[in-house]
């Protein structure tokens, strides 16, 4: 594989198995990324790692400097980015702790700096985003999961919401009618920015909870944490095969 970077998400923001050689502070024309970028090795292969919400989980989804994060990773040589993201499950076959590799996105976020081509210091460009994720990278993830005997769902539409609050049941109903299968807060503009810089980008979503209104229970942080822990175990098995 070419140079891989992982962006870790909620509950998945410390890759304990990563052997860190150094952490680099990168300044970008767009400001500072969520934190220093770790350069190290995972299962013996070179890897860059950035926790999307910062090392102390102190950046809410709408306050993440997505432009700086993607820019900094590219500056460090990443040409493949695996985004790990906690999500709510909408579709019946996407229960808590399941891994999903989405293939489409619907963007409900607003007010986020979402392009490098805004006509300021740069020109204005309109990238093709018909298929928002790298198919090659998606297939690598599916193959790795199969080799690791990890159940993973190939495809699904990721609905990106603004957060930081969770959704109402009516919002989830509307998203379901729109065709969303998963809901998360950080999938955009991250994917679009990676495409603008020509980075192969795919997402491995870990279902943390049933989306709002899908069960009669309140969504609790304890439940989210437990499911993410279960998801993380499977994710590590998948990563071992991915790096093999
Ligand atoms: N909604 C949005 N983002 C999320 C959720 C959810 O239910 N769970 C984890 N991230």
């Amino acid at each position: 594989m070419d140079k891989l970077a992982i962006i870790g998400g909620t509950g998945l923001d410390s890759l304990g198995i990563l052997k860190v050689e150094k952490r680099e502070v990168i300044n970008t024309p767009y400001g500072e990324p969520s934190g220093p970028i770790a350069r190290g090795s995972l299962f013996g292969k070179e890897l860059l790692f950035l926790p999307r919400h910062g090392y102390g989980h102190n950046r809410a989804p709408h306050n993440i400097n997505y432009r700086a994060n993607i820019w900094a990773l590219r500056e460090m040589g990443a040409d493949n980015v695996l985004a790990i993201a906690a999500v709510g499950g909408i579709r019946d076959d996407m229960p808590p702790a399941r891994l999903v590799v989405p293939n489409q996105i619907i963007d409900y976020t607003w007010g986020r700096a979402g392009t490098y081509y805004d006509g300021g210091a740069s020109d204005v460009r309109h990238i093709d985003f018909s298929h928002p994720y790298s198919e090659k990278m998606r297939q690598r993830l599916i193959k790795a999961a199969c080799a690791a005997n990890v159940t993973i769902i190939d495809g699904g539409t990721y609905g990106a919401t603004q957060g930081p609050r969770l959704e109402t049941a009516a919002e989830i109903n509307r998203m379901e009618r729109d065709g969303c299968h998963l809901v998360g807060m950080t999938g955009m503009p991250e994917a679009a920015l990676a495409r603008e810089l020509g980075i192969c980008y795919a997402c491995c979503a870990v279902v943390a909870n049933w989306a709002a209104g899908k069960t009669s229970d309140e969504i609790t942080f304890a439940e989210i944490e437990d499911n993410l822990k279960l998801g993380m175990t499977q994710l590590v098995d998948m990563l071992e095969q991915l790096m093999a």
Side-chain angles (χ1 to χ4, degrees):
M1 188 179 280
D2 308 319
K3 198 176 235 181
L4 177 68
I6 291 182
I7 303 180
T10 299
L12 312 158
D13 43 17
S14 73
L15 203 55
I17 49 170
L18 176 72
K19 289 207 176 86
V20 179
E21 279 150 28
K22 58 177 170 175
R23 291 185 204 278
E24 290 188 31
V25 176
I26 309 277
N27 274 308
T28 80
Y30 304 95
E32 281 179 24
S34 298
I37 295 174
R39 193 190 279 281
S41 64
L42 185 68
F43 299 111
K45 302 269 169 61
E46 194 183 350
L47 184 83
L48 301 171
F49 181 79
L50 175 65
R52 186 184 286 113
H53 296 273
Y55 284 92
H57 198 87
N58 53 10
R59 280 167 208 251
H62 62 290
N63 283 331
I64 290 168
N65 190 340
Y66 295 94
R67 289 197 297 185
N69 285 355
I70 296 292
W71 189 274
L73 290 173
R74 204 220 18 195
E75 189 125 319
M76 289 182 70
D79 42 24
N80 288 264
V81 169
L82 166 58
I84 297 173
V87 295
I90 298 177
R91 206 167 81 187
D92 287 354
D93 63 344
M94 298 181 179
R98 180 74 80 239
L99 305 190
V100 184
V101 182
N103 63 344
Q104 274 299 333
I105 298 175
I106 299 179
D107 187 6
Y108 300 89
T109 67
W110 47 271
R112 301 181 180 189
T115 181
Y116 297 109
Y117 298 127
D118 56 7
S122 68
D123 47 356
V124 175
R125 278 192 222 171
H126 305 282
I127 51 153
D128 175 72
F129 203 47
S130 313
H131 302 286
Y133 299 108
S134 155
E135 193 53 30
K136 196 167 146 201
M137 180 88 161
R138 280 195 352 93
Q139 291 309 324
R140 278 182 179 161
L141 299 178
I142 307 289
K143 208 171 134 201
C146 287
N149 246 325
V150 166
T151 306
I152 199 159
I153 295 183
D154 177 359
T157 298
Y158 178 115
T161 55
Q162 181 72 356
R165 66 164 176 84
L166 298 173
E167 299 69 36
T168 65
E171 284 168 337
I172 292 297
N173 277 336
R174 185 185 74 159
M175 291 178 75
E176 193 167 15
R177 286 196 303 277
D178 283 353
C180 295
H181 305 130
L182 298 165
V183 54
M185 300 173 192
T186 55
M188 285 292 285
E190 199 173 87
L193 292 164
R195 176 63 55 83
E196 283 191 349
L197 294 189
I199 292 171
C200 295
Y201 175 100
C203 169
C204 182
V206 183
V207 181
N209 54 280
W210 282 114
K214 287 277 142 193
T215 68
S216 50
D217 304 334
E218 191 184 324
I219 302 168
T220 65
F221 197 67
E223 167 202 356
I224 289 180
E225 270 185 330
D226 287 349
N227 289 322
L228 290 178
K229 260 187 217 142
L230 288 173
M232 190 63 179
T233 313
Q234 302 171 68
L235 195 73
V236 168
D237 290 347
M238 184 197 75
L239 287 176
E240 184 170 5
Q241 294 301 321
L242 188 73
M243 305 311 277

